[in-house]
Amino acid sequence: MASTGKPGAIRVIPGNPSGSYLVQKLEGAADIVGLRMPRNGPPFLSDAQVALIRQWIQNGAPNN
């Protein structure tokens, strides 16, 4: 699904966590549009929590 905030960005690219805009927003990448997620942070997600999301995406982002 495409991002509504950044044209051309894809929210989740199964198998590609670094290319997924969700991960970029969670990690606060320099080229994101708007605020880092979650917007009411800090605190932000821990490294372990982001790693779990990265692994889920790497595994193909299964809907389970």
Side-chain angles (χ1 to χ4, degrees), residues 1-62:
M1 176 175 280
S3 168
T4 57
K6 183 176 180 183
I10 305 298
R11 291 179 189 173
V12 174
I13 303 170
N16 184 358
S18 294
S20 297
Y21 195 54
L22 172 64
V23 171
Q24 295 169 16
K25 289 285 281 189
L26 291 172
E27 294 178 342
D31 64 341
I32 62 172
V33 174
L35 300 173
R36 180 178 176 178
M37 288 175 56
R39 292 189 314 187
N40 63 345
F44 298 110
L45 297 182
S46 69
D47 290 343
Q49 290 170 315
V50 173
L52 284 173
I53 294 168
R54 283 181 151 277
Q55 188 60 54
W56 170 72
I57 294 171
Q58 185 65 45
N59 292 341

